[in-house]
Amino acid sequence: MMTVKQVSELTGVSIRTLRYYDEIGLLTPASHTEGGYRLYDDTALERLQQILLFRELEFPLKDIVRIVSSPDFDRKKALEQQIELLELKKQRLDELISFARGIKLIGVRAVDFSAFDTSKIDEYTKRAKEKWGNTDAYREFETKKRSESENRQVVEDFMQLFAEFGKLKSGSPESAEAQAMVKKLQDYINEHFYTCTDEILSGLGKMYAADGEFRENIDKAGGKGTAEFAAAAIAVYCGK
């Protein structure tokens, strides 16, 4: 048997929350001490695990109470469903991370706001449009509607271009091979993101070399020095 304080320390759930769960009939202690303090056994802890998994999946408390209190509640089946939902959530997060990194890398100051909860949509939309909404690149990017899996593939293919840059970095950024890679990069951005003029490409090259996160991600794809090499090749290509 464990006290409410011990359960709190073990699980990270506050004492106040545990008491509230008791009050709403979600997690009832196994018994109480003579002094009235709550005591929890292994069965209660197993139920708490179920509750925390449902909470991680953002189930409202009222729904959790209904689910775990149902006479038909099957703990094993519920756990299988939770695992499936968590896998889907993980996939969703992986896709969002890949998409966000891709946007960061290509220099588009825009976000697919549908990926975020509605409480943040207005705030992000307002900021983005105030700063970037009047640019042609932003407006063109907004028209590129793709599924999450398509976005992930586009980003992966984009990063592969820098892996190819990495194979050339021991040579000269002025070489025909390096210049052909710059053209390939520009064509890819034109096809999948927005019209990438030489002026925009030149700006991207400068960001690739200067920005810590840009440099880090590009070098991760092509090896250390790839970002600097790509930036130098872009500068030659754009004549700047």
Side-chain angles (χ1 to χ4, degrees):
M1 303 289 279
M2 299 180 68
T3 65
V4 68
K5 182 179 180 181
Q6 290 172 324
V7 173
S8 177
E9 292 174 347
L10 175 67
T11 64
V13 179
S14 70
I15 293 175
R16 181 177 180 181
T17 297
L18 290 170
R19 288 172 177 166
Y20 179 66
Y21 286 174
D22 184 13
E23 292 172 6
I24 64 175
L26 181 57
L27 182 66
T28 304
S31 62
H32 295 78
T33 66
E34 293 182 359
Y37 293 101
R38 296 171 175 83
L39 293 174
Y40 298 84
D41 60 6
D42 289 345
T43 300
L45 292 178
E46 289 178 359
R47 185 179 175 103
L48 180 57
Q49 288 177 336
Q50 287 285 329
I51 294 168
L52 294 179
L53 284 171
F54 278 123
R55 290 297 289 157
E56 187 65 31
L57 291 166
E58 301 178 5
F59 277 56
L61 283 177
K62 63 179 181 179
D63 290 344
I64 301 176
V65 173
R66 178 179 54 80
I67 292 170
V68 300
S69 300
S70 170
D72 298 327
F73 179 68
D74 184 329
R75 182 176 180 275
K76 182 178 180 180
K77 183 177 180 180
L79 184 58
E80 291 174 352
Q81 293 173 333
Q82 288 168 332
I83 291 172
E84 183 177 354
L85 287 170
L86 288 168
E87 289 286 354
L88 290 172
K89 186 175 182 179
K90 178 179 179 295
Q91 179 182 342
R92 169 74 168 172
L93 288 173
D94 286 344
E95 290 174 346
L96 286 173
I97 290 170
S98 296
F99 185 46
R101 283 176 175 167
I103 289 177
K104 173 68 174 175
L105 282 168
I106 64 173
V108 177
R109 269 59 170 194
V111 183
D112 179 1
F113 299 112
S114 64
F116 299 90
D117 64 271
T118 56
S119 65
K120 295 183 179 180
I121 291 177
D122 291 340
E123 177 185 353
Y124 281 111
T125 301
K126 180 180 178 182
R127 291 182 181 179
K129 288 188 175 180
E130 284 178 351
K131 191 169 185 180
W132 309 105
N134 292 324
T135 65
D136 291 337
Y138 180 95
R139 285 190 289 269
E140 187 174 355
F141 180 80
E142 282 192 316
T143 67
K144 304 285 186 180
K145 301 299 182 182
R146 288 183 287 258
S147 68
E148 291 170 3
S149 60
E150 288 173 332
N151 278 323
R152 181 169 57 182
Q153 188 61 55
V154 166
V155 170
E156 289 177 359
D157 292 343
F158 183 75
M159 293 309 300
Q160 184 59 36
L161 296 177
F162 290 106
E164 294 179 36
F165 266 115
K167 296 176 182 178
L168 303 174
K169 66 179 184 292
S170 60
S172 169
E174 299 179 0
S175 68
E177 293 81 3
Q179 291 303 294
M181 273 306 305
V182 176
K183 180 64 166 59
K184 187 175 181 180
L185 175 68
Q186 186 179 38
D187 288 346
Y188 191 85
I189 296 174
N190 278 327
E191 180 180 356
H192 297 282
F193 298 105
Y194 51 80
T195 301
C196 184
T197 64
D198 285 358
E199 181 180 2
I200 290 176
L201 183 62
S202 176
L204 290 176
K206 292 174 183 177
M207 286 191 292
Y208 294 160
D211 188 281
E213 188 171 350
F214 275 49
R215 181 189 292 267
E216 179 182 349
N217 289 326
I218 291 174
D219 284 355
K220 186 180 296 183
K224 187 174 181 181
T226 300
E228 186 174 351
F229 177 82
I234 289 171
V236 173
Y237 182 90
C238 297
K240 298 179 181 179

